Amino acid sequence: SPTTKIFAIDPLAKPICGQGKRWVDPSDLTTNYWGGNFTDLLDLDWKGMIAKKEVDPASTLVFLDDHLHTYNRIAGVRKLGIRHVVVEDNYKLGEGATPFDKKSTPKQMFHGEKWKKEGDWLFDNTVAYAEFPPLVPPIMAAAFKGKRNEAGGFMVAADDNKDIVHPMLRPDLNEDDMKLYAHVADALGYDAALVDNESYMQFMNYNQICHLELKSDEEKTTIDN
C-alpha cells in the first residue's frame, strides 16, 4: 500500500547471513529502529501511538523473524490490541536455531504437551491460524547430497510430509506442475533438480511460516463470560 507505515526493527546495523548491503526504504513511510536507533518491538510507544490514532491496532500486522520467544511476543502484542501476527520461523517440535526457537513457536505450543497451558491460551485467543504451503514437496530434493540442518527449517527428501501443509505444486505427481516448477526454477536461475546448495536452499528453506488472527478484546470478553 502507498500509505502503509512500516517500523523496521533490528538490533544490528548490518544484515547477517551474507546478505550484503541492507536495502533501506527511501520513503518517509518507514521508521528504522536498527543499529544505534534500535528499540525492541515491545518497547515501542504503542500505547501513545494508539492513543494519538497514529496506529490502528486492529489493522496492524507484526512480522516476527527475530528468533526470540515467539509466544511471549504474540502475547505481548495481543495485550496492545494487535490482532495480526506472521511468524516466519515456526519451528516444529524439537527444532530451532536458538534456545527460544525450541520452546516458543505456535506450532510447538499447539502440539507440545509440555506447553499445554500456553497452547490452550493461544488456541483460546486465536480466530484463525494458517501455515503457508511450501512451493513443492521435499521429494523434489532427492538429488541433493547435503546433510539435514540440525536446527530444522529446511526440508529434505526423506521427510514424510505428515507435519506440513499440502504443497502448492506436486511436480512429482503431475506433469503440468512439473512444467510450471521447471519454468519457475529456470526463470530464477536455479536448478530444478536442486543438486547444488543454493538451488536447494531457495526451494527447501521452508519453516512453516504462519499467520495468526488473534481475537479482539470484545471477542475475548464474550468468551470469558
Side-chain angles (χ1 to χ4, degrees), residues 83-101:
R83 301 182 56 196
H84 294 277
V85 180
V86 169
V87 179
E88 201 274 340
D89 290 300
N90 188 23
Y91 284 100
K92 304 175 185 178
L93 288 172
E95 296 184 350
T98 71
F100 285 136
D101 285 340

Side-chain angles (χ1 to χ4, degrees), residues 2 5 55 63 70 102 106 115 122 135 137 148 160 174 203 222:
K5 295 180 180 178
V55 170
F63 188 103
T70 306
K102 298 177 180 179
W115 298 293
L122 193 59
L135 180 63
R148 178 191 292 274
D160 59 18
N174 184 283
F203 285 93
T222 300

Side-chain angles (χ1 to χ4, degrees), residues 106-125:
K107 198 172 185 75
Q108 294 164 351
M109 298 298 100
F110 286 139
H111 298 288
E113 284 299 319
K114 66 171 65 176
W115 298 293
K116 186 178 186 306
K117 179 180 178 181
E118 292 85 350
D120 287 348
W121 181 90
L122 193 59
F123 182 85
D124 290 340
N125 285 279

Side-chain angles (χ1 to χ4, degrees), residues 26-89:
S27 78
D28 59 359
L29 293 174
T30 296
T31 303
N32 296 302
Y33 293 103
W34 42 265
N37 196 40
F38 171 70
T39 302
D40 185 70
L41 168 70
L42 298 180
D43 291 332
L44 294 179
D45 184 21
W46 291 106
K47 292 183 178 179
M49 291 187 290
I50 292 170
K52 297 175 184 176
K53 299 189 182 302
E54 296 174 351
V55 170
D56 176 13
S59 62
T60 295
L61 172 69
V62 170
F63 188 103
L64 295 175
D65 184 20
D66 55 12
H67 297 273
L68 296 177
H69 200 291
T70 306
Y71 171 83
N72 287 347
R73 310 291 261 177
I74 294 172
V77 299
R78 167 65 187 78
K79 291 180 180 178
L80 298 166
I82 294 174
R83 301 182 56 196
H84 294 277
V85 180
V86 169
V87 179
E88 201 274 340
D89 290 300

Side-chain angles (χ1 to χ4, degrees), residues 134-143 155-161 164-182 192-194 204:
L135 180 63
V136 294
I139 193 62
M140 299 309 297
M155 302 185 295
V156 297
D159 290 343
D160 59 18
N161 296 341
I164 64 172
V165 296
H166 195 279
M168 296 174 66
L169 300 175
R170 290 302 304 265
D172 54 321
L173 301 177
N174 184 283
E175 184 177 346
D176 289 337
D177 281 3
M178 183 63 200
K179 290 179 180 178
L180 180 56
Y181 166 57
L194 309 185
M204 293 291 117

